[in-house]
Amino acid sequence: MVVERLNHKWARAKLPKLGWVAFRWTRSLGGQVRSATVSRRNGHWFVSFLVDDGAVTPEHHAGAPVGIDRGVAVAATTSTGDFHDREFITPGEAERYRRLQHKLARAKKGSRNHARVRAAMNRTMGRVTARRAGFCAQSAHQLTTRHNVIVLEDLRTKNMTASASGTMDKPGKNVAQKRGLNRAILDKGWHRLELALRNAARYTGTEIVLVNAAYTSQTCNVCKVVDAKSRKSQAVFACTACGHQAHADVNAARNILNAAGLAVSACGDLGVGRSVKQEPSGPREAVPDQPVLAGIPRH
Ligand SMILES: [Zn+2]
C-alpha cells in the first residue's frame, strides 16, 4: 500500500481498483500500512488504515487493580472514586432531533423532503457518536495507564434498566420513535468503552477481566449484606445492616473489583492472571461464597 503526504493538510493513497485517492491528513499513521478501508458515514467519505506499529504489549504494569461500574447516570465510576462522564447529546441537539422526528413522520416516504430530514437526523447523531467515541478513547487511555487490571461487569449479565418499551404491565408509548433518542441519551457507550479498553490495554499490558456482577448495586461493600433498601437513591448507598455510606456507584465498583478476587480464590487461577491475586488497597474483608440476603432484592 502506497501512502504519500502531499502537504500539511492532504495526503493520497493508491488503493486497489480505485487508484489514487486524496484524503485529509488528520493524524500520523505511525507504522507500516497493511490495508485501507473506505466508508461513507453521514454523507461523508472516510478512509481508515490498518497499521502495524510494531508495539509490543509490556509484561509488567506498575498500577493497581480497579473495578468499574458502568451506569446510566454516570458513564463509568471506578472503585477508587473517579467519575468518567460527559454529555453526549446536548439539550439543544435532543430538542432539534425531536423536531426532526416529527417532521419525518409527516414527510412522504421516498420523497426528497423525507431524505433531507433523514440526512439532518443522521448529521446530528453523527456528532453524538463521534463525541462518545472520543470519550471512550480518552477514558480508556487514562484507565489503562493507571491500572494493571480492570474489572468490568459482563454486560450480558447486567440488568439493563430505563427503556421506552416499558414493562409487561405498563407498555411504553411511541416505543419505536423514542428508541433512537433514548439510545442517544441513555447509551453511555458501555460496549464501546469495553472495546476501547481492550485496545488501549494492548499498549500498557493491562488485563481486562469480566465478572458476573449480580446485585453489585445492592450489596454493601463492607459487610456484604444484600438489601435493595440500602440503595437510597441513584447516588446514595447507605447499608441497612452496618450503616456504611458511600456513593452508590463507587460501592458498586468496589463490589465488581471484589467479584474478580472471589472468582480467583474460589476456582484457582482461572487463567485471569497472577496480578488479580493482589489484594486491592482498602480494608480486607472475608468474602462469603454467597451474598447474604436481607429482604428480597428487587430486579
Ligand atoms: Zn453494610
Side-chain angles (χ1 to χ4, degrees):
M1 181 89 39
V2 189
V3 179
E4 282 178 7
R5 189 84 182 264
L6 295 173
N7 53 40
H8 179 66
K9 216 174 165 185
W10 293 92
R12 65 176 188 168
K14 195 170 191 182
L15 305 177
K17 287 178 188 162
L18 291 171
W20 288 106
V21 173
F23 62 93
R24 272 280 300 282
W25 185 263
T26 51
R27 52 175 294 189
S28 72
L29 296 176
Q32 184 73 36
V33 177
R34 293 277 176 241
S35 67
T37 307
V38 177
S39 61
R40 189 176 158 84
R41 220 165 47 236
N42 306 315
H44 298 281
W45 289 97
F46 296 89
V47 62
S48 59
F49 296 98
L50 180 70
V51 173
D52 184 353
D53 59 7
V56 179
T57 305
E59 282 282 328
H60 181 74
H61 194 305
V66 74
I68 296 179
D69 177 63
R70 289 177 276 185
V72 172
V74 178
T77 307
T78 69
S79 51
T80 51
D82 292 326
F83 296 87
H84 294 260
D85 197 24
R86 74 160 290 181
E87 203 172 54
F88 297 117
I89 185 164
T90 66
E93 280 169 343
E95 180 53 41
R96 180 175 151 72
Y97 195 81
R98 233 174 254 127
R99 254 185 273 131
L100 287 167
Q101 276 181 324
H102 289 139
K103 246 190 203 170
L104 190 74
R106 286 194 302 270
K108 195 164 163 260
K109 261 196 185 142
S111 70
R112 189 170 289 200
N113 189 36
H114 192 277
R116 208 164 49 214
V117 176
R118 203 58 275 180
M121 289 169 82
N122 286 344
R123 271 199 303 279
T124 306
M125 277 307 162
R127 274 197 294 275
V128 175
T129 307
R131 228 173 266 147
R132 187 176 289 122
F135 163 79
C136 288
Q138 282 164 21
S139 300
H141 174 75
Q142 282 177 15
L143 288 165
T144 52
T145 308
R146 282 179 207 158
H147 302 286
N148 63 345
V149 179
I150 295 177
V151 187
L152 302 168
E153 311 138 283
D154 191 336
L155 283 184
R156 286 167 301 180
T157 62
K158 190 175 166 73
N159 191 16
M160 307 278 182
T161 46
S163 125
S165 53
T167 60
M168 291 275 273
D169 309 327
K170 256 174 98 183
K173 286 177 191 157
N174 307 324
V175 176
Q177 197 195 59
K178 277 183 189 166
R179 204 175 287 141
L181 194 56
N182 269 6
R183 204 181 285 144
I185 296 168
L186 295 173
D187 179 359
K188 293 289 191 175
W190 292 333
H191 184 61
R192 197 187 281 265
L193 178 63
E194 191 174 321
L195 292 178
L197 284 168
R198 286 187 189 284
N199 192 34
R202 293 185 299 143
Y203 290 91
T204 59
T206 303
E207 217 165 332
I208 311 291
V209 178
L210 293 184
V211 294
N212 177 353
Y215 306 120
T216 46
S217 63
Q218 303 174 359
T219 306
C220 172
N221 180 250
V222 174
C223 72
K224 313 296 176 205
V225 169
V226 180
D227 186 357
K229 290 198 208 74
S230 295
R231 180 80 185 253
K232 302 295 179 200
S233 67
Q234 181 65 50
V236 177
F237 184 94
C239 180
T240 53
C242 77
H244 170 67
Q245 288 201 18
H247 189 287
D249 292 342
V250 176
N251 179 68
R254 288 186 181 151
N255 287 332
I256 289 162
L257 177 60
N258 283 1
L262 186 96
V264 170
S265 60
C267 320
D269 207 310
L270 269 184
V272 286
R274 63 225 169 271
S275 36
V276 184
K277 282 179 188 159
Q278 295 169 357
E279 279 292 319
S281 55
R284 286 177 69 125
E285 297 289 334
V287 183
D289 287 329
Q290 295 290 325
V292 184
L293 295 174
I296 314 285
R298 259 164 278 158
H299 291 272

